[in-house]
């Protein structure tokens, strides 16, 4: 639908310009046939797209509800209605008299409301005919498309922010540098697939290689930075400031490496929307939603059905109790960091496919990810899924009523409201917040 | 390597109008975080409110002095809006919500069109002529070589540093009064302060308002110096920089903001100059770092400094290890 709109609009515009451009000539042609010089009338020529004249169509002229006159278009498509004098008239094309297969290009313009006629002038007006190309976008279609876009954004947020919530759950750290893990994934995949000087692999291969690389970065975070700090008993605030500094450091390093302008992946860049019943997603949107859902399902499976998942849930519930029951907490923490970073990187690749790759794309998503995690429940395992979908869908659908400039503000207001009204989030337990 | 030039340039940055403004901003943050322990990560919004309050008032026809009053009042209102819902939250939630609140405000300011009240992305310019009309310094450059200022910059920096001195003295008096002692007790142990009958919430709100108003003064100084306000000058990285300055100098100390700002600007400009000279002399190949990357290198250093300070020397240059919040749980 969006594709046909994209073609119809410029075509209609061009034809309107052409119509106005050719009006003098049609008026001149008319004047050659006009009955008396100095008569006041409204005239027109009805033609289709390839200048095929349409005859037998009734045109009516009225003024403030009073019928002035009608005419029927002749074999050349011409029609003419005389009017008593200067003034403003309404010209209506009787769509019932249109031949089979021909319609008004824009059905809303069956009546031209303010045709101003000057004394002694034959005023030409134009009705654009042709196959119906201009489809009005129905409310349902628009909302359905926005919801689908929101679903895509929500899945990206969910996948990317699992790490944020789980790391808080097992170590109590609010990582303000989590966005950089997301950016890192997108950048590495970019280098492997599209970057000059890189191997130029297909994006899917690059993704499969990038995911474990991101896991290694997460491992490095834990072993090199945060475990030593935990051993030194650094407080919550100190750790937060460390993550702020780390984020600043990484972000600007990415800026030096990748430069400031946004760039896309070689494959899957420009795609046209598919013409489905209600919606018109791009193929990559569907792919991201499917792949993301698959990953999230796998995540849930690991959490519920494997020993590792059970151990993770135990540590996030109560670290001391888990340790006393024999779980190697340090190993769980390392695995959580690696897994969380890998998922964040995958989320970054999804975001890069969906839009563009940029040095601060993760930081831009960070506030949205905080919103998703807080709304869903900071420190819960499934909170990011619930919160991500809520934030993603609500922020996209809200653009139906609110300008897109405010889209980020909408999510942040949701975050603030969540913190005020239900700080533990949808899935959180009430005692978590102090 | 022209060390004289590098030194002169660095001194100029350390004493210049921007350093004075940053010192004032950090002073405000010191009240909120250094003395009361509020992890306010939306501080840059106070600078923005002060600056925009002033600029919009002048743009709509008021005088600059009225504008300054409006800017200060607006920042106190912002402190109320920030504080009322969030002051009972834990540190990390307060951090998240204050960043979010600041960004919401910035997005709203940014979204207007050219004819709107805030003029959206175009910003407002040229509103500070009344200030420069008062400049008693004659035209010319004052100083030696690179370490020199135009009469405009000199005027701004004089006013800025005098303002800083006055405000710092005020803050020092307040902090060593009974009111200030309550603030510091809140920082150390909120429950203990509350159990002694102090209305912790009201004290926190007052601390937020005072720190916010001081932040607004800083924003106004910067806006007057540049004669321009623009929403993209008030990104979260401004707050992070203020934290870096504060922790560097020593949070919760009287001279911390001063030392922090001086040191930060000196070191940053020093590094910038050395790198630039290294490029022109060919020591650093442009493939590694080119001129457009200088800003990024600067922020990498800020990030690194924040990490190292928070981990190894949370009390900064002047601070007292026992008094430092960074160590607390």
């Amino acid at each position: 639908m969006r594709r046909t709109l994209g073609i119809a609009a410029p075509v209609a515009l061009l034809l309107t310009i052409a119509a106005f451009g050719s009006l003098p000539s049609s008026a001149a042609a008319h004047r050659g046939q006009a009955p008396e010089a100095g008569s006041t009338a409204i005239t027109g020529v009805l033609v289709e797209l390839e200048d095929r004249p349409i005859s037998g169509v009734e045109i009516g002229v009225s003024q403030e509800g009073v019928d002035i006159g009608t005419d029927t278009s002749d074999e050349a498509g011409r029609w003419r209605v005389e009017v008593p004098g200067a003034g403003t008239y309404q010209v209506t094309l009787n769509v019932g008299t249109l031949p089979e297969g021909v319609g008004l290009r824009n059905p809303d313009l069956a009546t031209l409301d303010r045709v101003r006629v000057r004394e002694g002038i034959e005023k030409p007006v134009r009705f654009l005919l042709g196959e119906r190309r201009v489809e009005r976008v129905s409310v349902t279609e628009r909302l359905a498309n926005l919801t689908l876009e929101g679903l895509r954004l929500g899945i990206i947020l969910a996948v990317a922010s699992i790490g944020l919530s789980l790391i808080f759950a097992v170590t109590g750290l609010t990582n303000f540098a989590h966005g950089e893990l997301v950016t890192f994934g997108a950048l590495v995949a970019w280098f492997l697939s599209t970057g000059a000087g890189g191997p130029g692999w297909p994006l899917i291969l690059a993704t499969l290689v990038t995911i474990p690389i991101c896991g290694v970065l997460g491992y490095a975070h834990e072993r090199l930075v945060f475990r030593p700090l935990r051993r030194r008993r650094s407080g919550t605030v100190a750790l937060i400031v460390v993550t702020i500094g780390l984020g600043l450091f990484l972000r600007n390093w990415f800026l030096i490496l990748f430069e400031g302008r946004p760039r896309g992946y070689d494959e899957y860049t420009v795609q046209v929307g598919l013409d489905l019943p209600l919606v018109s997603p791009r193929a990559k949107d569907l792919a991201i939603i499917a792949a993301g859902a698959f990953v999230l399902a796998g995540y849930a499976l690991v959490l519920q059905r494997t020993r590792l998942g059970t151990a993770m849930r135990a540590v996030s519930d109560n670290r001391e109790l888990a340790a006393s029951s024999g779980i190697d907490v340090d190993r769980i923490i390392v695995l959580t960091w690696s897994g969380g970073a890998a998922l964040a990187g995958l989320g970054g690749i999804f975001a890069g496919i969906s839009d563009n790759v940029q040095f601060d794309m993760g930081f831009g998503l960070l506030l949205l990810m905080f919103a998703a995690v807080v709304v869903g429940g900071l420190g819960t395992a499934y909170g990011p899924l619930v919160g991500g979908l809520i934030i993603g869908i609500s922020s996209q659908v809200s653009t139906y009523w609110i300008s897109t400039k405010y889209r980020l503000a909408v999510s942040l207001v949701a975050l603030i409201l969540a913190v005020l009204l239900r700080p533990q989030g949808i899935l959180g337990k009430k005692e978590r917040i102090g | 390597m022209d060390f004289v030039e590098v030194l002169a340039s660095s001194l100029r940055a350390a004493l210049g109008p921007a350093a004075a403004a940053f010192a004032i901003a950090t002073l405000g943050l010191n009240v909120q975080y250094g003395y009361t322990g509020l992890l306010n990560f939306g501080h840059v919004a106070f600078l923005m409110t002060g600056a925009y309050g002033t600029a919009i008032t002048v743009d709509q026809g008021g005088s600059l002095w009225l504008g300054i009053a409006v800017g200060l009042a607006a920042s106190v209102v912002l402190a109320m809006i920030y504080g009322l819902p969030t002051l009972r939250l834990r540190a990390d939630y307060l951090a998240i919500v204050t960043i979010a609140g600041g960004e919401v405000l910035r997005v709203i300011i940014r979204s207007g069109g050219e004819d709107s009240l805030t003029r959206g992305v175009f910003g407002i310019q040229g509103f500070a002529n009344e200030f420069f009309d008062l400049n008693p310094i004659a035209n010319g450059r004052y100083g030696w070589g690179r370490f020199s200022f135009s009469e405009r910059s000199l005027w701004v920096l004089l006013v800025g540093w005098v303002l800083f001195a006055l405000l710092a003295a005020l803050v020092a008096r307040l902090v060593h009064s009974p009111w200030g002692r309550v603030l510091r007790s809140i920082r150390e142990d909120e429950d203990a302060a509350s159990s002694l009958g102090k209305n912790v919430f009201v004290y926190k709100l007052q601390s937020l308002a005072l720190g916010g108003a001081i932040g607004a003064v800083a924003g106004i100084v910067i806006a007057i110096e540049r004669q321009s306000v623009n929403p993209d000058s008030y990104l979260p990285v401004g707050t992070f920089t203020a934290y870096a300055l504060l922790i560097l100098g020593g949070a919760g100390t009287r001279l911390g903001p001063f030392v922090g700002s001086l040191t930060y600007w000196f070191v940053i400009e020093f590094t910038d100059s050395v790198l630039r000279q290294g490029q022109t002399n060919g020591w650093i190949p442009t493939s590694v770092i080119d001129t457009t990357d200088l800003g990024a290198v600067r922020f990498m250093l800020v990030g690194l400094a924040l990490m190292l300070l928070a981990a190894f020397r949370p009390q900064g240059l002047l601070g007292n290890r026992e008094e430092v919040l960074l160590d607390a749980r």
Side-chain angles (χ1 to χ4, degrees), chain A residues 168 174 229 232-233 235 237-238 241-242 244-246 248-249 252 367 370 378 405-406 412 419-420 423 432-434, chain B residues 33 85 88-90 92-93 96 99-100 103-104 107 111 237 240 296 299-300 302-303 306-307 310-311 326 328-329:
Chain A
F168 178 82
T174 314
L229 285 178
R232 288 166 57 95
R233 303 211 154 283
V237 177
V241 175
V242 168
I244 299 263
L246 181 61
L248 210 51
F249 181 80
N252 283 279
L367 286 178
F370 271 126
L378 181 62
K405 281 186 288 198
Y406 294 111
L412 295 183
V419 169
L420 297 183
R432 279 199 176 270
I433 309 310
Chain B
Y33 171 68
R88 54 187 172 83
L89 294 176
R90 207 175 58 198
D92 32 12
Y93 277 86
I96 295 173
I99 287 191
E103 280 290 276
V104 168
V107 165
S111 63
V237 72
F240 301 159
F299 283 118
M300 278 179 76
V302 172
L306 266 177
M307 287 174 65
L326 282 184
R329 292 221 142 254

Side-chain angles (χ1 to χ4, degrees), chain A residues 9-29:
Chain A
V11 168
L13 182 64
L14 278 171
L15 279 163
T16 317
I17 295 173
F20 280 115
S22 64
L23 269 172
S25 51
S26 59

Side-chain angles (χ1 to χ4, degrees), chain A residues 89-342:
Chain A
Y89 298 88
Q90 289 80 49
V91 185
T92 309
L93 185 148
N94 189 338
V95 287
T97 57
L98 282 170
E100 197 72 37
V102 178
L104 275 169
R105 200 80 60 66
N106 189 339
D108 286 331
L109 295 179
T111 300
L112 302 174
D113 259 328
R114 274 195 288 262
V115 182
R116 274 202 213 100
V117 187
R118 295 209 306 270
E119 193 67 45
I121 298 291
E122 306 244 337
K123 170 82 179 186
V125 298
R126 192 88 171 184
F127 284 99
L128 287 174
L129 298 177
E131 286 165 48
R132 274 202 60 189
R133 298 276 181 100
V134 176
E135 292 162 48
R136 239 174 321 167
V137 184
S138 73
V139 171
T140 341
E141 277 178 330
R142 217 173 107 118
L143 282 176
N145 268 308
L146 285 176
T147 310
L148 198 66
E149 281 173 35
L151 184 62
R152 182 198 70 211
L153 176 62
I155 293 221
I156 293 178
L157 285 178
V159 170
S161 53
I162 284 177
L164 188 60
S165 185
L166 281 184
I167 288 165
F168 178 82
V170 300
T171 62
L173 173 72
T174 314
N175 182 11
F176 279 84
H178 190 78
E180 275 57 62
L181 293 172
V182 173
T183 313
F184 183 71
L187 288 185
V188 171
W190 188 88
F191 173 73
L192 290 177
S193 68
T194 317
W201 292 339
L203 189 55
I204 300 205
L205 176 62
T207 306
L208 292 174
V209 172
T210 305
I211 292 178
I213 297 180
C214 294
V216 170
L217 181 64
Y219 178 80
H221 269 60
E222 160 65 7
R223 288 305 300 270
L224 296 179
V225 179
F226 292 108
R227 180 181 299 185
L229 285 178
R230 268 203 319 276
R231 296 273 179 270
R232 288 166 57 95
R233 303 211 154 283
S234 288
T236 322
V237 177
L239 290 175
I240 290 179
V241 175
V242 168
T243 63
I244 299 263
L246 181 61
L248 210 51
F249 181 80
L250 288 175
R251 209 156 45 243
N252 283 279
W253 190 36
F254 294 157
L255 173 56
I256 293 180
L257 290 177
F258 192 70
E259 285 160 36
R261 67 187 193 286
R263 289 181 268 184
Y265 292 117
D266 267 346
E267 303 164 70
Y268 317 124
T269 37
V270 181
Q271 285 183 345
V272 178
L274 307 167
D275 221 348
L276 295 183
L278 256 188
V279 295
S280 56
R282 299 168 295 183
K284 55 178 169 172
D285 295 337
L286 294 177
I288 290 176
I289 293 178
F294 182 72
V295 167
L296 291 174
Y299 167 68
L301 253 156
V302 165
L303 274 184
Q304 299 297 133
R305 296 290 178 85
T306 66
R307 290 187 53 159
L308 169 65
T310 316
M312 271 179 160
R313 283 184 290 136
V315 172
S316 74
D317 253 3
N318 189 327
R319 199 193 308 182
E320 279 78 21
L321 201 52
S324 71
S325 75
I327 295 178
D328 183 348
V329 172
D330 272 346
R331 192 179 81 98
I332 297 294
I333 293 179
V334 158
L335 287 170
T336 308
W337 264 104
S338 310

